[in-house]
Amino acid sequence: MTAEPLEIYLEEGDLERGLRDDVRAGLSAGQKWLPPKWFYDARGSELFEEITRLPEYYPTRAERAVLAGHASDIAALTGAKTLIELGSGSSEKTRLLLDAFTRRGGLGTFVPLDVSVSALRGSTAQIAADYPRLRVRGIVGDFTRQLDRLPTGGRRLVVFLGGTIGNLLPAERAAFLAAMRAALEVGDWLLLGTDLVKDPSVIVPAYDDAAGVTAEFNRNVLHVINRELGADFDPAAFEHVAVWDPDHEWIEMRLRATRPMSVRVLGLTVDFAAGEELRTEVSAKFHPEGIAAELASAGFTTEEFWTDPDGLFGVTLARAR
């Protein structure tokens, strides 16, 4: 079976407007910031795939270990007819779930949602070829804005992997989970991947690898802004910084100006002092009881919580109540 034509709810113009709005707001703030979603042009996606294979970067391996160990349990417990993946990318880890559902039988539809038309077109074609009995419906959309576009009916399992929820600030997480619950019916399922709090000596190297791949990934956001908005950032004049915040229990990625400079973008002149930092990502880490509490506040009941053998990463199976 071939993949169905993509359902597009996010146009190139929407992405450009979003980038403009974020850059204008973030670079005008007292503490400058940019959201991490703008890392991911084609080059940024390649760099992130490289990061996931680095020895320091444990989250991908740990989450994969959880899914490899419990995919059959997830298929049996949920009995889902429709599997929806948010921020799907290549859907590589999701294949462990698709394999388990295929062995069990009953899954009829796979719905990956992603902002990238090109990435989604490629991944849906490959999934459709590899799982010929599965209906594949790709949705081009932003999971923070287009949850109301998810297909309805049947028993649904929404999958949100990679610890991506940790990139949302607490208020943003609460809003996202509430919107997720509103998009689901009572009895639908949510599978959520979350990185866990652990010794910073393990966490920090995952965001500051010895080979410098994460540094290049971090600076890529400046290349994106230069290309898309005609800015004149000198990416080489910014050094990569990864800092553990013990109060918030999250890691921050920042870009630190190595010299005073002025950057022109969107008609603005943005001044940087030497040593001034631009925050590009927050990646929150979680405790199991905290995950359950946030889900409960949004209207979900935690049914299962699994970790990898080393206890680095957690996967929660929750049900809409």
Side-chain angles (χ1 to χ4, degrees), residues 160-283:
F160 192 31
L161 298 175
T164 305
I165 194 168
N167 296 145
L168 304 176
L169 296 173
E172 295 170 334
R173 283 203 306 270
F176 166 77
L177 289 172
M180 185 76 263
R181 175 61 189 87
L184 298 179
E185 303 290 339
V186 172
D188 283 338
W189 297 86
L190 173 64
L191 189 71
L192 182 64
T194 47
D195 199 2
L196 301 178
V197 173
K198 62 190 73 68
D199 194 299
S201 66
V202 176
I203 297 173
V204 173
Y207 296 84
D208 193 13
D209 62 278
V213 182
T214 310
E216 187 178 351
F217 174 70
N218 196 5
R219 283 189 286 266
N220 190 63
V221 72
L222 304 183
H223 290 289
V224 170
I225 294 170
N226 283 350
R227 183 183 66 244
E228 299 298 329
L229 301 181
D232 59 357
F233 276 103
D234 177 5
F238 289 83
E239 61 182 0
H240 168 70
V241 180
V243 179
W244 173 249
D245 182 332
D247 296 325
H248 292 101
E249 294 188 313
W250 65 42
I251 193 140
E252 290 191 11
M253 290 209 317
R254 306 172 186 168
L255 291 169
R256 179 183 293 153
T258 59
R259 56 176 170 80
M261 68 188 89
S262 295
V263 176
R264 295 283 298 169
V265 58
L266 297 175
L268 303 173
T269 299
V270 182
D271 294 321
F272 286 86
E276 184 176 355
E277 293 178 344
L278 165 66
R279 189 181 75 192
T280 54
E281 181 177 270
V282 163
S283 185

Side-chain angles (χ1 to χ4, degrees), residues 115-130:
V115 297
S116 171
V117 172
S118 58
L120 202 54
R121 186 168 285 127
S123 65
T124 54
Q126 193 60 57
I127 293 286
D130 293 344

Side-chain angles (χ1 to χ4, degrees), residues 9 113 142-143 145-152 156 179 182-183:
Y9 301 113
L113 181 149
D142 184 336
F143 61 73
R145 292 168 46 202
Q146 264 99 28
L147 292 178
D148 59 337
R149 301 291 191 172
L150 299 182
T152 59
R156 293 176 293 174

